[in-house]
Amino acid sequence: MPPLPGLRTSRPLTDRAYNRSVTKLLEKAMEAAADLSANEQDELAERILDEVSWERGDKSEGSPEKLRRLVKQGREDIEAGRVRELRPEDI
């Protein structure tokens, strides 16, 4: 099986050792993510790691650096028009 586009490894996902312990859905998500650019893959990986850390109750993730990253991301989303005003009737 050839490597998936955009993946930064020469081994396809099906040859990876972690496939023994991930669900089919997670495997499908990783395969879909392989089509993203390297930067998009890294951003997605950061979000996944943050979510896993949150679920495990890791308090070290509440760092000032993470807050700065979130603020920067929020500002970029606003400037790019990816954010809209939330109105009570929209809830």
Side-chain angles (χ1 to χ4, degrees):
M1 176 191 233
L4 296 170
L7 198 59
R8 288 182 270 166
T9 180
S10 60
R11 292 172 33 195
L13 288 173
T14 54
D15 290 347
R16 307 290 234 133
Y18 58 69
N19 275 347
R20 292 188 314 250
S21 62
V22 299
T23 66
K24 294 290 183 190
L25 183 59
L26 181 55
E27 185 177 344
K28 184 177 179 179
M30 289 188 296
E31 288 174 359
D35 291 333
L36 301 173
S37 71
N39 285 341
E40 290 170 322
Q41 287 182 30
D42 286 346
E43 288 175 15
L44 179 58
E46 281 184 18
R47 285 191 237 152
I48 291 170
L49 292 171
D50 285 347
E51 183 66 25
V52 169
S53 178
W54 174 265
E55 290 295 325
R56 291 183 177 166
D58 184 0
K59 303 301 181 206
S60 66
E61 286 298 313
S63 69
E65 178 57 35
K66 181 176 179 181
L67 181 58
R68 279 190 286 277
R69 244 186 13 248
L70 290 171
V71 168
K72 180 181 178 214
Q73 181 181 355
R75 288 180 177 153
E76 289 171 358
D77 288 344
I78 291 168
E79 289 173 12
R82 293 185 292 260
V83 177
R84 64 182 177 87
E85 181 180 349
L86 180 61
R87 300 174 307 187
E89 59 269 19
D90 294 336
I91 298 177

